[in-house]
Amino acid sequence: MAGAQSAPGPLEIDGRKVLTLVSNDPPGLRCNNNIQVAAELANTYKVPILIYPVSFMPPGTKAPIVWFGGENIAQSGGKLNGMISYTELADRFEVEGVARQDKSGLLMTPAVNGSFEALKQSIKGK
C-alpha cells in the first residue's frame, strides 16, 4: 500500500482518542477479532469506537486497519497484519491514562464471558 492512510472520521471525541476500525464488508476473521476486542475494551475503558466497512473507504483500501487517535496501529499486509489484541491495547490505554468505566460492562462477567468465548471460538472455526 502506497503511503500511510489517514484515519476516517474524528481522531478525538470529547477530548478522548478514538479507536477506529475499518473492516472488510462482510467482516472476516481478523475483522471480527478486532470488533470483539473493541467490545471487550469498551467494557473496561471509556474509549469512543468507530467502525467503518471498507466499502465506505477510498478504492484500493485493504482491511482490516486500526487507528488509535489517528495513529495507525494495525494494517492488513503491514503492522500486526491488521489484527489487534486486547492485551496490547489495554497496556497502551493504561500507559496513556485512558479513563476506566465506573463499573465493568456485562461482557466480562462470568455468566456472559463463557458464552462469549464459545462464540469467538466458533467464529474462528474451532
Side-chain angles (χ1 to χ4, degrees):
M1 187 172 201
Q5 186 169 353
S6 298
L11 305 183
E12 288 188 2
I13 296 176
D14 291 335
R16 296 172 198 242
K17 288 183 179 181
V18 174
L19 180 64
T20 306
L21 313 176
V22 172
S23 294
N24 283 312
D25 199 9
L29 175 68
R30 292 175 297 154
C31 299
N32 279 326
N33 171 80
N34 291 349
I35 293 167
Q36 291 165 355
V37 167
E40 291 174 25
L41 289 165
N43 274 263
T44 304
Y45 297 95
K46 293 180 179 179
V47 60
I49 299 166
L50 297 175
I51 303 172
Y52 295 89
V54 73
S55 56
F56 285 78
M57 297 297 293
T61 299
K62 289 185 177 181
I65 309 173
V66 181
W67 294 269
F68 180 58
E71 179 188 345
N72 178 255
I73 57 174
Q75 183 169 335
S76 183
K79 294 178 185 177
L80 306 173
N81 199 25
M83 198 159 79
I84 57 174
S85 77
Y86 177 89
T87 304
E88 288 176 47
L89 282 176
D91 288 349
R92 180 184 195 126
F93 288 3
E94 289 295 323
V95 168
E96 293 198 18
V98 173
R100 288 179 161 261
Q101 297 287 7
D102 297 330
K103 63 178 188 169
S104 292
L106 294 176
L107 189 57
M108 305 313 283
T109 63
V112 175
N113 195 41
S115 299
F116 182 59
E117 288 300 321
L119 172 64
K120 288 197 294 190
Q121 293 308 310
S122 69
I123 288 171
K124 292 178 181 177
K126 295 180 180 176

